[in-house]
Amino acid sequence: MAQSMSFFFLIGLLAFAPQCFSTKTNGGSLYPQYYYRSCPKAQEIVKSVVAKAVAKEARMAASLLRLHFHDCFVKGCDASLLLDSSRGIVTEKRSNPNRNSARGFEVIDEIKSALEKECPQTVSCADILALAARDSTVLAGGPNWEVPLGRRDSRGASLSGSNNDIPAPNNTFNTILTKFKRQGLDLVDLVALSGSHTIGNSRCTSFRQRLYNQSGNSQPDSTLDQSYAAQLRNRCPRSGGDQNLFFLDFVSPTKFDNSYFKNLLASKGLLNSDQVLTTKSQASLALVKQYAENNALFFEHFAKSMVKMGNISPLTGSRGEIRKNCRKMN
């Protein structure tokens, strides 16, 4: 076991060898200095609005981070998630992963409004999502990273993509890994990015089956600590209470740290998609153990995986547009 742990640790380090934060795409490059001349105060404005929102409600940090994730996994990081239904567009906000749970849109609107006053039609909504995710992570105590910029906004949305491409709480480990690989992400990215569940909340409806009927045999999930399950059942009954909220990391729910991974090792992951990282793959279990023991390693991998995720199929060059309003096309 010690030898296999060392092997996976080595693989993890090789996968995250130092890389340049400028990424070539089909239509151009993303790079952190993209707005230095056209809108030099762009990052400062985003950070200021995000800081105000998180100070008002700590949960907003996780919500903004989640928006970036749910945007990038559908058609790439193009702000398609932000579009409301109009002109033949069916909004992704109606999808199963987003309905009654995606939030923070008003914060993005406020950022966009401030940026339009400072430098009209210059900063894309897609870049706003990427910057807000980074700033939210930092404000919660997590790692910092340079965000490659230069994305443009899509002129469409995909409800079916949102329903099918975003990993679901009850997906199997193999299904989740397959969805990551479709986006050019690997096992290390999967485990590291799952660590974002160190902050935020989940609804009763997202994990109820673990408490009562995990495998269709009216039995609870055997991989869930039973004392923890009993606590959860107090506010997540067999029926009703669908929208009741629970901390994804009950130890330090508003602090970005590695306690999420420690919870997994204690069989106290809230979602099925969390706990399978320790029960269905020796490789992912090895990474969970590394992150639980080494917060700095988790932070390093998380930051690099966020950059990698943010580079999923961006629109650059002449593709897409720079929306004036993130909720509708120009």
Side-chain angles (χ1 to χ4, degrees):
M1 184 63 183
Q3 285 183 332
S4 66
M5 284 280 287
S6 298
F7 171 76
F8 289 119
F9 180 70
L10 177 59
I11 291 297
L13 290 181
L14 289 175
F16 285 90
Q19 61 184 40
C20 177
F21 284 94
S22 174
T23 301
K24 292 286 183 181
T25 68
N26 291 332
S29 295
L30 300 182
Y31 53 96
Q33 301 80 17
Y34 189 83
Y35 296 111
Y36 273 21
R37 291 186 179 180
S38 61
C39 193
K41 293 184 179 179
Q43 297 203 41
E44 177 186 330
I45 289 170
V46 175
K47 184 177 181 179
S48 175
V49 177
V50 171
K52 183 175 68 172
V54 172
K56 182 178 179 181
E57 181 194 16
R59 180 187 172 201
M60 187 56 67
S63 297
L64 293 173
L65 180 56
R66 187 170 183 258
L67 284 184
H68 184 41
F69 177 83
H70 280 211
D71 178 48
C72 288
F73 264 65
V74 183
K75 296 171 69 267
C77 306
D78 60 2
S80 61
L81 170 59
L82 303 180
L83 288 169
D84 290 335
S85 293
S86 66
R87 283 194 274 170
I89 291 177
V90 179
T91 180
E92 293 170 16
K93 297 172 185 177
R94 292 182 183 175
S95 71
N96 292 328
N98 295 324
R99 189 175 59 249
N100 298 323
S101 64
R103 57 197 301 277
F105 298 109
E106 295 79 8
V107 178
I108 302 300
D109 291 341
E110 185 177 348
I111 295 170
K112 184 59 174 173
S113 178
L115 286 169
E116 285 300 300
K117 291 177 183 177
E118 178 69 21
C119 36
Q121 274 193 278
T122 301
V123 182
S124 70
C125 300
D127 279 345
I128 290 173
L129 285 173
L131 288 168
R134 188 272 310 275
D135 293 340
S136 294
T137 300
V138 174
L139 286 164
N144 197 354
W145 64 89
E146 282 194 303
V147 180
L149 300 166
R151 301 167 189 81
R152 289 168 65 84
D153 301 322
S154 70
R155 294 190 175 101
S158 176
L159 179 62
S160 62
S162 189
N163 275 320
N164 296 321
D165 297 340
I166 297 172
N170 59 349
N171 279 163
T172 65
F173 174 82
N174 287 335
T175 297
I176 297 169
L177 183 58
T178 296
K179 289 182 177 181
F180 268 72
K181 287 183 175 179
R182 279 189 203 140
Q183 306 295 346
L185 303 175
D186 59 24
L187 177 69
V188 181
D189 301 314
L190 165 57
V191 181
L193 292 174
S194 294
S196 62
H197 285 177
T198 182
I199 56 175
N201 300 263
S202 185
R203 298 173 297 158
C204 165
T205 187
S206 295
F207 62 87
R208 174 184 281 119
Q209 86 285 348
R210 298 193 71 202
L211 303 179
Y212 303 103
N213 190 26
Q214 174 68 2
S215 304
N217 58 0
S218 298
Q219 295 297 314
D221 187 347
S222 61
T223 69
L224 180 63
D225 178 86
Q226 292 309 298
S227 62
Y228 181 46
Q231 294 175 31
L232 296 175
R233 281 191 286 267
N234 287 332
R235 291 184 51 248
C236 187
R238 285 182 180 272
S239 61
D242 284 5
Q243 305 305 314
N244 289 350
L245 293 174
F246 295 77
F247 293 130
L248 285 160
D249 168 9
F250 67 90
V251 175
S252 51
T254 61
K255 183 181 179 183
F256 200 102
D257 58 20
N258 65 343
S259 60
Y260 162 82
F261 297 104
K262 296 176 182 178
N263 293 341
L264 295 187
L265 294 177
S267 300
K268 295 180 179 179
L270 183 64
L271 306 179
N272 180 72
S273 56
D274 293 322
Q275 200 61 60
V276 292
L277 297 180
T278 65
T279 61
K280 300 300 181 181
S281 164
Q282 285 298 312
S284 64
L285 173 59
L287 285 164
V288 169
K289 289 180 177 179
Q290 289 166 31
Y291 297 157
E293 295 168 0
N294 189 336
N295 193 63
L297 181 67
F298 164 47
F299 277 21
E300 177 191 345
H301 285 196
F302 182 83
K304 290 178 180 176
S305 289
M306 284 297 292
V307 172
K308 194 173 172 183
M309 185 186 79
N311 292 333
I312 297 174
S313 305
L315 298 174
T316 57
S318 60
R319 298 184 301 159
E321 65 181 14
I322 305 296
R323 293 183 209 143
K324 298 177 185 177
N325 180 328
C326 290
R327 293 175 182 256
K328 60 185 181 181
M329 296 183 295
N330 294 340

